[in-house]
Amino acid sequence: MRPPTDAATVVLTCGEVRTGLLPSFQPLDSRAAAHFLQLRADERVRVSERPQLYALSPDTLTGVDCRLPAVDGAKVRVVGTVAARAVLTEGRVLQATAYFGAPAAGPDRRQPWGHYLVRPGLLEPFGRLPEQAVAKGVLRGPQKGELDLGLIAEGLLGQLRRHPLLDQNAPFKSAGTRFRWVARRAPDGEGPSITRFTLAEDQLRTVELRVPAAQEASAVAGLCEDLALHDWLLTTVVRMLDTSRLGAAGGAAAVLALRPAVDHLLHLWMPTARVDRTLSPLWEVLEREPGFSRQWQTSVQRIRDQLALQAIPLLREALASR
């Protein structure tokens, strides 16, 4: 048996993040978050309270023997394990991620399961891996009989949403998002880069990255979780603004529609707070186009302006009653 494959042999890393509101009226504190995300008894949940409450579960593994998505129709059979984990931010936003890495080539024969279990989160192809075709196939989405990372992530999300700690009474209605990503090896001597970022229909986002050869898959997954979190925050707040009917509805109705954003979301905006420092410059690309923070600040200012406008009549009434 050959030794476990190291990170330098991985040429393609792929994953999908599902993001949504925790179905609980009250956010979970650090102790409850640690209990909530204890997916394995042999490994602790990582909890941090600065600069915001953040809890990361240990990885769980799903064994697979199936085909990978490939746009050219190639039948790329892989065997190994897909890693999945969950993240809870400020006890309020829940994410589940499923991801794997793949080397440029694998054995021609199927190996015993012990061979794959000592390589967690690695899928080995039979023969050579058509890297570009698989990367495009993953971003397009699986076809019948192909590996579905979103299904694994959604399964973990569903499992956690049924946890007895949750009262199933979310403070407001919101839709979840899907964030699909692939990361290919950058040319020698080059740093990380974003090749393409798209906002598709049906709450789907896709991103194609280039990362240095030695970059760990878990760090890339962390970057994509951060991107997915802030995309969900922005999407949710923009939808609140759209449905609040500013300027058309009565002032009190608009304030009630926007209050959940103030109570639960506005303080969560902290890009790259926990992104690997070698990958954090990629946020600068999204700040230029599509301009995440510019749109966020504009939306936040609209909310604050609306609240200020509604406060003026109340102040007048208070002064008149003196």
Side-chain angles (χ1 to χ4, degrees):
M1 181 183 296
R2 63 179 179 173
T5 306
D6 58 37
T9 66
V10 172
V11 298
L12 180 66
T13 307
C14 307
E16 185 161 333
V17 187
R18 298 292 175 99
T19 305
L21 187 67
L22 188 75
S24 174
F25 188 77
Q26 296 294 336
L28 301 186
D29 60 22
S30 58
R31 182 176 297 182
H35 178 62
F36 175 64
L37 294 181
Q38 192 67 62
L39 302 181
R40 290 168 44 183
D42 61 337
E43 193 171 339
R44 296 179 60 184
V45 175
R46 292 169 50 194
V47 178
S48 173
E49 296 187 353
R50 299 290 184 273
Q52 59 185 189
L53 180 58
Y54 171 88
L56 174 65
S57 79
D59 281 357
T60 61
L61 300 178
T62 300
V64 299
D65 181 345
C66 60
R67 291 187 290 113
L68 289 180
V71 294
D72 61 359
K75 297 188 182 331
V76 186
R77 181 185 172 191
V78 291
V79 184
T81 58
V82 174
R85 68 188 194 184
V87 176
L88 186 63
T89 302
E90 278 294 311
R92 179 58 73 195
V93 182
L94 178 62
Q95 297 177 281
T97 303
Y99 67 99
F100 71 87
D108 293 329
R109 296 182 179 180
R110 197 182 190 284
Q111 305 298 306
W113 267 114
H115 169 89
Y116 303 107
L117 291 177
V118 297
R119 297 161 172 80
L122 190 78
L123 298 184
E124 293 186 339
F126 282 61
R128 294 199 61 80
L129 178 76
E131 182 183 339
Q132 185 173 359
V134 169
K136 291 183 177 180
V138 169
L139 294 179
R140 175 204 62 193
Q143 306 298 304
K144 184 177 180 180
E146 297 175 340
L147 176 64
D148 191 339
L149 292 173
L151 192 63
I152 296 174
E154 189 63 35
L156 177 56
L157 204 61
Q159 172 191 332
L160 289 169
R161 283 172 171 161
R162 294 189 296 271
H163 198 284
L165 276 176
L166 308 181
D167 59 20
Q168 306 303 320
N169 185 23
F172 60 93
K173 292 183 179 180
S174 64
T177 58
R178 300 177 294 150
F179 194 97
R180 202 174 284 159
W181 55 272
V182 299
R184 300 173 64 187
R185 284 175 59 169
D188 293 342
E190 292 189 12
S193 61
I194 293 181
T195 305
R196 178 176 301 175
F197 177 81
T198 63
L199 299 174
E201 295 179 356
D202 195 27
Q203 304 298 106
L204 173 65
R205 289 83 171 95
T206 64
V207 65
E208 184 175 356
L209 308 167
R210 290 278 187 170
V211 298
Q215 189 71 61
E216 293 185 1
S218 61
V220 181
L223 166 71
C224 292
E225 286 161 351
D226 193 60
L227 296 176
L229 169 66
H230 289 84
D231 171 76
W232 181 85
L233 288 171
L234 181 57
T235 300
T236 303
V237 167
V238 168
R239 184 174 293 110
M240 284 181 177
L241 283 165
D242 289 343
T243 58
S244 68
R245 301 175 60 221
L246 290 181
V255 169
L256 287 175
L258 296 175
R259 180 172 176 175
V262 178
D263 290 344
H264 305 289
L265 302 180
L266 298 191
H267 62 291
L268 300 185
W269 191 266
M270 293 187 187
T272 71
R274 287 184 175 80
V275 174
D276 186 291
R277 64 179 58 186
T278 61
L279 297 174
S280 58
L282 294 182
W283 251 104
E284 298 174 7
V285 178
L286 297 179
E287 296 293 31
R288 293 192 299 269
E289 185 180 352
F292 270 32
S293 288
R294 288 198 305 274
Q295 187 176 6
W296 174 261
Q297 293 301 334
T298 299
S299 300
V300 169
Q301 191 59 53
R302 287 184 66 195
I303 292 173
R304 289 175 175 165
D305 289 346
Q306 183 66 25
L307 295 179
L309 285 172
Q310 299 310 314
I312 292 174
L314 296 177
L315 181 59
R316 286 176 179 169
E317 290 178 10
L319 292 174
S321 64
R322 288 184 178 181

